[in-house]
Amino acid sequence: MRWRQGRRSSNVEDRRGMGSGKRRLPGGGGLKLGGGAGIIVLLISMFLGVDLTGFLGSGSGGGAVPQLTPSSQGQSRSNDEATDFVTTMLAYNEDVWTKLFREAGQQYQPAKLVIFDGGVSSACGYTSSAAGPFYCPGDYQVYIDLNFFRELQKMGAGGDFAQAYVLAHEVGHHVQNLLGVSMAVQKRQRSVTKIEANHLSVLTELQADCYAGVWAHHAHKDNQLLEPGDLEEGMNAAARIGDDALMSRAGARVRPEAFTHGSSKQRQQWLYVGLESGDPNQCDTFGS
């Protein structure tokens, strides 16, 4: 990707180098999109936090929730390449979605990107790095531990466009939040069965994949961002993190009724729809 010439977003908060304490969070957390919870033992969950607890028979407990508290004034990491990359990618996302919202007669409200290490507290509660990158609708923020990119490489889904796809997917959840999709899905999930709720989760995640493709379409059209091989990296990443691929990798039986993000084929399909069309209106996974 030809990303180095891009501007750096100012909507970034670096929380690395902060310690953790424990206290109860009032009122609980909320639904995290793109991230799982309580699956540290499964390294494959590092990508987009696919929650495998449903078909492995484990669960999450309650009790005290860790809350990050500053152990220092924070350490500046602005000079490392991974930080520069995600900061630049966030700016490209901001530019594309600002344009598309304006064309639709709306105003885009940028998300903030929070960079952390180890674990982080958000309006959705405390989340370990093992859950992967996620978006919290409660505070309009995307969260990522940059060490995750090394795990992505180990999974055979390396490359800068694969990493950009990760961030664009989470920003896609932010777009859903702004459009009211997230709230509508959460409301519906509370009134249906677990299998039906999982299906709604799949549709939500596939739409975020499609929005990631829409972003890449316009980012390249406006800035000649992509290079040969980038699209292949994105499609490969989508295949590697399909629910069926992750279940197989974990040695578990593939159970479509337990999917939360979609199969490899579905993720590739909807990423391609966005890439090819560049039209957010084509990302209606709920009506397809």
Side-chain angles (χ1 to χ4, degrees):
M1 297 182 72
R2 305 180 186 92
W3 63 271
R4 297 181 187 279
Q5 74 275 15
R7 72 176 180 86
R8 274 52 170 171
S9 173
S10 60
N11 294 308
V12 179
E13 179 183 351
D14 191 342
R15 295 192 195 173
R16 290 172 293 182
M18 302 178 73
S20 62
K22 292 185 178 181
R23 66 182 181 89
R24 290 184 180 273
L25 291 179
L31 176 68
K32 295 182 287 291
L33 296 174
I39 50 176
I40 297 175
V41 294
L42 297 171
L43 292 180
I44 62 169
S45 69
M46 288 294 295
F47 192 86
L48 298 184
V50 176
D51 188 352
L52 303 177
T53 58
F55 61 87
L56 290 180
S58 58
S60 57
V65 180
Q67 172 73 29
L68 290 183
T69 55
S71 61
S72 67
Q73 293 301 313
Q75 302 174 17
S76 175
R77 309 292 182 88
S78 60
N79 292 326
D80 75 79
E81 185 167 289
T83 302
D84 282 346
F85 179 77
V86 294
T87 302
T88 304
M89 287 302 106
L90 183 63
Y92 279 123
N93 274 270
E94 291 168 350
D95 293 345
V96 166
W97 287 110
T98 295
K99 179 186 74 170
L100 293 178
F101 268 60
R102 182 173 61 246
E103 291 174 354
Q106 302 181 57
Q107 184 174 358
Y108 178 68
Q109 177 184 343
K112 176 179 283 188
L113 175 65
V114 177
I115 303 172
F116 69 97
D117 51 14
V120 69
S121 289
S122 70
C124 296
Y126 178 84
T127 303
S128 165
S129 294
F134 68 93
Y135 173 73
C136 179
D139 55 24
Y140 293 80
Q141 295 184 158
V142 172
Y143 294 82
I144 187 169
D145 183 334
L146 297 181
N147 293 316
F148 157 77
F149 289 143
R150 287 200 289 270
E151 301 301 323
L152 191 62
Q153 182 75 36
K154 293 176 184 177
M155 290 176 61
D160 50 8
F161 185 69
Q163 296 174 6
Y165 162 46
V166 172
L167 182 61
H169 174 98
E170 301 307 335
V171 174
H173 284 310
H174 177 62
V175 172
Q176 292 173 319
N177 197 24
L178 295 178
L179 296 177
V181 174
S182 303
M183 182 176 295
V185 169
Q186 291 180 51
K187 181 178 179 180
R188 178 61 179 162
Q189 285 178 317
R190 289 193 290 269
S191 63
V192 299
T193 66
K194 174 65 174 177
I195 292 178
E196 292 172 316
N198 284 347
H199 181 61
L200 288 170
S201 177
V202 168
L203 298 179
T204 303
E205 297 296 337
L206 293 177
Q207 186 177 67
D209 280 339
C210 187
Y211 283 161
V214 168
W215 163 76
H217 175 101
H218 288 278
H220 179 66
K221 179 181 177 182
D222 297 342
N223 302 282
Q224 316 308 266
L225 187 61
L226 303 183
E227 296 178 308
D230 283 338
L231 297 184
E232 289 79 3
E233 287 178 4
M235 293 306 237
N236 174 60
R240 297 277 181 172
I241 49 81
D243 283 332
D244 51 345
L246 292 176
M247 289 176 179
S248 296
R249 191 180 179 95
R253 179 169 62 90
V254 175
R255 295 175 54 202
E257 70 275 11
F259 286 1
T260 58
H261 284 64
S263 68
S264 296
K265 182 178 180 180
Q266 288 174 315
R267 301 202 71 166
Q268 288 182 311
Q269 173 191 345
W270 283 103
L271 175 61
Y272 181 78
V273 168
L275 282 165
E276 194 276 333
S277 69
D279 181 4
N281 295 317
Q282 298 299 314
C283 297
D284 183 14
T285 56
F286 299 92
S288 61

